């Protein structure tokens, strides 16, 4: 029997609620499969760790993750610590340190979810956004000079490398090729950002020649927001820079019904290092510690984790259970307009995975 070594990093806020829920679901799935198992190791990194040690994770933290098969992550963000410290000290440190350069965000309107777009049928919205996850606007290059003086200056330099653009665009073409519509939209802003984004466009056109069976087009990022709302069915696979895709994917999550549902994978496609799977939402200070967090985003991330490990059947079983649960309004959490708790949703998914029915779970 294959045993996968998984690191769990709940982090902060509702991460501490949804990651244990995700671990429980994976355990139930493994026991039901009798084909594979999980060896979980939990890491208590995040805001509390920072208060004790002055850093979000230990200096050798990346080494502790290196031999894992995957990482299940919650959220980094603490009400009492500045966001750039929590984000850079934990999540970005892992993503960049393990060169997880492709951030993949599938978006669909799941059964039973009341999405905000009036004329959008569920079949009209089936996207995967690929976000460059290692450089660009979030390279961390820049600085501040003359702090506190009237002549204070601050810069954030977007670093775009040919190699970095090429690898993520090629990944996106490959992903588009694997989907039924074979359709890729490359997001750009080369009208206003006339150096790096022009190179990005050139590289897209070059890589496109390797994929004659994929139809592709270009869209300026601001126009892309309108297209997502007005013509959602015209999109399938989307690739964008770090900042552009960060913004577009929150819009995508909202259009699909809730931030609480959306999953993401931070992939090292070459598998030199473990990849990391997490819900896209943050720590949700307003509801943390109250058992109200929607765990579906974490469960869907677990589906992506299983696909990455090469367990497509288990992934499909979990996705089917998720969709059966979202289809039942009695199992909707507050973000979806319901009253169910994290525990009730988790119990329902576990019951289904064990071969039970939702009637028994209720
Ligand atoms: P957020 O995602 O934490 O919350 C936004 C809103 O959505 C809140 O009203 C929240 O209650 C709701 N929400 C989010 N996830 C939910 C869930 N699973 N179930 C029910 N409701 C849910 O975004 P924010 O408020 O902008 O950020 C809060 C903190 O989280 C900040 O410190 C931020 O830096 C951090 N953050 C971290 C990550 C990450 O680690 N990947 C991502 C986003 C934000
Ligand atoms: Mn974001």
């Amino acid at each position: 029997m294959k045993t996968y070594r998984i690191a769990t990093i709940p982090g902060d806020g509702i991460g501490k609620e949804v990651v244990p829920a995700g671990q429980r679901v994976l355990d139930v799935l493994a026991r039901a499969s009798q084909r594979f198992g999980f060896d979980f190791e939990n890491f208590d990194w995040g805001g509390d760790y920072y208060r004790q040690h002055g850093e979000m994770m230990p200096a050798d933290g990346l080494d502790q993750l290196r031999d894992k098969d995957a990482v299940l992550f919650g959220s980094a963000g603490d009400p009492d610590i500045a966001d750039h410290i929590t984000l850079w000290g934990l999540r970005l440190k892992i993503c960049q340190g393990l060169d997880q350069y492709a951030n993949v965000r599938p978006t669909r309107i799941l059964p039973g979810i009341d999405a905000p777009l009036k004329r959008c049928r569920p079949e009209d919205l089936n996207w995967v956004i690929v976000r460059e996850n290692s450089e660009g606007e979030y390279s961390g290059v820049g600085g501040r000079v003359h702090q506190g003086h009237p002549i204070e200056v601050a810069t954030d330099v977007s670093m775009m490398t040919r190699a970095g653009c090429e690898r993520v665009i090629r990944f996106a073409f490959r992903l588009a090729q694997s989907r039924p519509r074979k359709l890729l939209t490359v997001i750009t802003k080369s009208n206003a950002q006339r150096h790096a984004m022009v190179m990005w466009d050139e590289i897209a056109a070059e890589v496109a020649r390797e994929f004659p069976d994929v139809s592709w087009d270009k869209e300026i990022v601001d126009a892309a927001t309108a297209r997502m709302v007005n013509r959602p069915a015209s999109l399938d696979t989307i690739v964008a820079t770090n900042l552009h895709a960060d913004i577009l994917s929150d819009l995508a999550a909202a259009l699909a019904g809730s931030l609480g549902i959306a999953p993401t994978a931070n992939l090292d496609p070459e598998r030199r290092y473990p990849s990391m799977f997490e819900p896209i939402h943050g720590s949700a200070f307003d509801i943390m510690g109250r058992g109200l967090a929607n765990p579906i985003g974490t469960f869907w991330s677990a589906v992506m984790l299983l696909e990455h490990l090469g367990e497509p059947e288990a992934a499909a079983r979990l996705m089917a259970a998720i969709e059966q649960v979202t289809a039942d309004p009695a199992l909707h959490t507050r973000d979806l307009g319901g009253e169910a708790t994290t525990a009730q949703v988790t119990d329902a998914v576990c019951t289904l995975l064990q071969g039970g029915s939702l009637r028994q779970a209720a």
Side-chain angles (χ1 to χ4, degrees):
M1 191 171 88
K2 173 88 190 143
T3 300
Y4 297 110
R5 294 198 288 187
I6 309 294
T8 49
I9 309 176
D12 305 316
I14 61 168
K16 290 181 191 164
E17 300 167 56
V18 293
V19 166
Q23 178 173 343
R24 206 183 127 205
V25 160
L26 282 171
D27 248 339
V28 167
L29 199 58
R31 253 178 276 131
S33 94
Q34 296 186 334
R35 272 193 351 91
F36 62 87
F38 293 109
D39 178 6
F40 289 104
E41 187 177 354
N42 191 61
F43 295 88
D44 62 349
W45 304 339
D48 293 336
Y49 190 92
Y50 182 86
R51 273 182 281 275
Q52 276 193 321
H53 304 276
E55 51 189 1
M56 291 290 286
M57 64 189 274
D60 68 345
L62 289 177
D63 293 329
Q64 297 185 39
L65 300 178
R66 239 177 267 281
D67 67 335
K68 303 296 183 195
D69 293 303
V71 181
L72 185 65
F73 188 83
S75 166
D78 184 288
D80 301 321
I81 306 171
D83 280 346
H84 66 273
I85 292 177
T86 53
L87 187 67
W88 278 95
L90 188 58
R91 188 176 166 272
L92 288 184
K93 194 162 174 182
I94 297 171
C95 288
Q96 297 189 351
L98 300 180
D99 204 18
Q100 296 161 345
Y101 67 83
N103 179 279
V104 180
R105 302 182 165 199
T107 311
R108 283 192 290 126
I109 300 175
L110 297 187
I113 302 299
D114 184 21
L117 285 181
K118 256 187 311 186
R119 288 181 302 272
C120 178
R121 299 164 303 170
E123 60 269 32
D124 294 335
L125 200 166
N126 186 346
W127 304 330
V128 185
I129 299 180
V130 178
R131 167 179 174 185
E132 202 297 313
N133 211 32
S134 68
E135 54 175 33
E137 306 88 341
Y138 299 172
S139 302
V141 175
R144 291 176 71 172
V145 186
H146 307 306
Q147 279 198 52
H149 297 283
I151 55 166
E152 180 165 357
V153 55
T155 59
D156 271 298
V157 181
S158 172
M159 304 295 286
M160 307 268 294
T161 64
R162 171 166 282 276
C165 298
E166 214 175 287
R167 65 184 184 174
V168 76
I169 290 173
R170 187 170 287 118
F171 175 86
F173 267 101
R174 229 172 251 146
L175 182 63
Q177 194 177 43
S178 75
R179 287 168 54 86
R181 294 177 69 195
K182 299 188 195 302
L183 184 63
L184 177 70
T185 299
V186 178
I187 304 297
T188 186
K189 190 70 202 178
S190 49
N191 54 343
Q193 295 177 302
R194 60 208 179 116
H195 308 293
M197 291 313 296
V198 173
M199 180 180 78
W200 167 266
D201 288 4
E202 285 167 10
I203 292 170
E206 283 164 30
V207 175
R209 282 187 227 117
E210 299 166 22
F211 299 88
D213 56 335
V214 175
S215 328
W216 73 289
D217 64 354
K218 256 188 339 190
E219 189 72 78
I220 306 279
V221 63
D222 37 341
T225 60
R227 179 166 163 193
M228 285 166 72
V229 171
N230 294 328
R231 291 185 294 131
S234 74
L235 296 160
D236 186 79
T237 308
I238 298 165
V239 64
T241 65
N242 214 330
L243 170 66
H244 290 165
D246 187 5
I247 298 166
L248 292 184
S249 57
D250 270 28
L251 172 61
L255 294 178
S258 172
L259 214 54
I261 290 176
T264 186
N266 302 284
L267 299 180
D268 166 22
E270 280 78 45
R271 296 174 186 262
R272 299 156 299 167
Y273 308 110
S275 293
M276 182 161 81
F277 302 81
E278 53 167 345
I280 88 163
H281 64 73
S283 302
F285 304 144
D286 51 337
I287 57 164
M288 66 184 181
R290 294 163 58 194
L292 299 174
N294 190 346
I296 296 289
T298 303
F299 297 163
W300 194 346
S301 303
V303 169
M304 299 182 81
L305 182 151
L306 289 161
E307 284 167 350
H308 182 75
L309 292 178
E311 297 291 347
E313 281 163 35
R317 282 195 59 206
L318 177 52
M319 197 66 219
I322 289 171
E323 296 193 23
Q324 230 180 304
V325 165
T326 61
D328 183 350
L331 290 168
H332 284 186
T333 41
R334 250 188 15 178
D335 54 311
L336 299 174
E339 283 167 11
T341 63
T342 313
Q344 285 169 329
V345 177
T346 309
D347 287 345
V349 170
C350 290
T351 300
L352 289 171
L353 292 175
Q354 285 158 337
S357 71
L358 285 185
R359 216 172 291 282
Q360 285 167 264

